[in-house]
């Protein structure tokens, strides 16, 4: 897996890049099945909405084999290594759910703002690379991105611990309005298996989901090894302390797991 020069140029200019259907339906089916099994568990890594619906499951790669394989998949690791020009480690890993009918909002924010303030990350040399497990449509709470907003740098933010069940360093309306006036808003959509990567300073958020269609996305937060966090305040299952460079698995590792699932079902 290697990005083209044009893709790298597009990423640096816009702050994001979407790679449609990078994973096959069979590979995605394994992850969907395993994600539901994780959401059904009562464990500290699984956070829920105020109504009890799952919101996010942290660190799944540490207790689930399918997500361990995904967390070291070359289709995800190699593009980020290309962008940063060095090896990366897993800063955070989560499976975000936007449940049908009840999925709540994610306020406007920059990810690096949280990583810096809560984890002591020195620079925005980390990014999220995400895998769609469900079809992401314009109607079911897609991620909203403000193109080119990463060029604004690290913006002033407020620690919002009231709006949702997940505390977040959020941006005020005036800042978002100014950035949207300059860059607009895009909502990357696509079928299961699509991969979205975006800069740590790119402003983004998402609306609630009042449709019958769930929207699950896996997020790998990959950080350059030279940029390891210094002063973490959050639990280790949220901000990892293992700075070992990720050794990618074989490109067919998840496909082999899917084959094993198929055979077992026959």
């Amino acid at each position: 897996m290697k990005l083209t020069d044009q893709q790298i140029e597009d990423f640096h200019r816009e702050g994001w890049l979407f790679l449609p259907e990078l994973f096959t339906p069979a590979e995605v089916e394994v992850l969907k099945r395993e994600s539901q099994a994780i959401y059904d568990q009562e464990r500290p890594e699984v956070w829920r909405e105020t109504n009890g619906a799952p919101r996010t499951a942290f660190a799944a790669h540490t207790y689930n084999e399918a997500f361990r394989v995904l967390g070291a998949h070359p289709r995800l690791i190699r593009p980020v290594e290309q962008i940063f020009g060095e090896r990366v480690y897993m800063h955070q890993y989560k499976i975000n759910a936007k449940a049908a009918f009840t999925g709540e909002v994610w306020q406007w924010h920059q990810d690096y703002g949280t990583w810096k303030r809560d984890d002591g990350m020195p620079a925005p040399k980390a990014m999220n690379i995400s895998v769609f497990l469900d079809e992401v449509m314009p109607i079911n709470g897609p991620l909203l991105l403000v193109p080119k907003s990463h060029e604004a740098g690290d913006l002033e933010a407020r620690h919002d611990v009231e709006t949702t069940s997940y505390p977040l360093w959020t941006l005020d309306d005036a800042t978002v309005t100014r950035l949207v006036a300059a860059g607009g808003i895009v909502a990357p959509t696509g079928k299961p298996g699509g991969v979205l990567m975006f800069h740590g300073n790119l402003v983004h958020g998402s609306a609630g989901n009042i449709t019958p269609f769930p929207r699950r996305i896996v997020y790998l937060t990959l950080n350059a090894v030279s940029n390891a966090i210094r002063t973490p305040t959050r639990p280790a299952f949220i901000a990892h302390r293992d700075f070992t460079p990720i050794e990618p698995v074989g490109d067919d590792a998840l496909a082999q797991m899917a084959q094993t699932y198929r055979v077992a079902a026959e």
Side-chain angles (χ1 to χ4, degrees):
M1 177 63 199
K2 189 174 183 180
L3 298 176
T4 66
D5 290 343
Q6 184 62 57
Q7 287 173 321
I8 293 174
E9 180 182 332
D10 291 345
F11 176 85
H12 285 305
R13 183 184 65 253
E14 301 296 319
W16 66 280
L17 185 68
F18 182 64
L19 307 169
E21 297 173 71
L22 203 60
F23 291 89
T24 68
E27 291 171 322
V28 172
E29 185 57 35
V30 172
L31 299 170
K32 289 178 68 171
R33 190 181 313 178
E34 293 298 313
S35 69
Q36 188 56 55
I38 290 171
Y39 288 145
D40 288 342
Q41 298 177 39
E42 294 294 334
R43 54 187 306 148
E45 296 94 341
V46 179
W47 289 29
R48 302 187 182 278
E49 309 279 19
T50 53
N51 63 9
R55 181 175 178 88
T56 191
F58 289 103
H61 65 305
T62 64
Y63 53 86
N64 181 279
E65 180 62 13
F67 286 102
R68 182 196 69 80
V69 170
L70 183 69
H73 206 288
R75 293 176 220 164
L76 303 179
I77 305 304
R78 295 308 188 196
V80 181
E81 290 180 335
Q82 269 188 276
I83 296 291
F84 291 154
E86 66 174 286
R87 304 288 298 281
V88 296
Y89 76 91
M90 189 73 69
H91 171 63
Q92 188 178 92
Y93 193 119
K94 56 184 181 285
I95 313 168
N96 279 359
K98 189 69 71 91
F101 296 111
T102 60
E104 293 185 4
V105 64
W106 287 87
Q107 310 94 296
W108 288 108
H109 66 285
Q110 296 174 299
D111 287 325
Y112 176 62
T114 296
W115 302 336
K116 180 186 74 170
R117 295 176 179 90
D118 290 351
D119 306 327
M121 186 179 289
K125 201 171 184 181
M127 76 169 80
N128 277 326
I129 186 162
S130 59
V131 182
F132 294 1
L133 298 190
D134 298 303
E135 183 173 0
V136 177
M137 300 175 278
I139 59 174
N140 66 342
L143 204 63
L144 304 177
L145 312 177
V146 181
K148 301 182 175 66
S149 58
H150 62 302
E151 296 176 349
D154 177 30
L155 299 164
E156 183 177 347
R158 178 181 72 89
H159 202 206
D160 184 347
V161 296
E162 300 172 353
T163 301
T164 70
S165 59
Y166 188 87
L168 204 61
W169 289 91
T170 62
L171 304 176
D172 62 42
D173 293 350
T175 298
V176 175
T177 299
R178 172 174 58 82
L179 293 170
V180 170
I185 298 176
V186 296
T189 58
K191 295 186 179 299
V195 169
L196 173 67
M197 55 192 300
F198 55 98
H199 192 283
N201 272 336
L202 194 75
V203 173
H204 62 285
S206 65
N209 181 16
I210 61 171
T211 76
F213 309 109
R215 189 226 71 179
R216 284 166 292 181
I217 300 178
V218 185
Y219 289 91
L220 281 64
T221 302
L222 302 175
N223 190 17
V225 171
S226 65
N227 195 46
I229 60 175
R230 306 294 200 263
T231 54
T233 63
R234 300 188 290 176
F237 66 79
I238 297 179
H240 303 317
R241 276 53 155 182
D242 183 355
F243 308 141
T244 305
I246 297 170
E247 294 293 341
V249 298
D251 188 78
D252 64 345
L254 194 56
Q256 289 182 359
M257 186 171 289
Q259 174 68 11
T260 299
Y261 268 70
R262 187 185 67 80
V263 171
E266 291 177 347

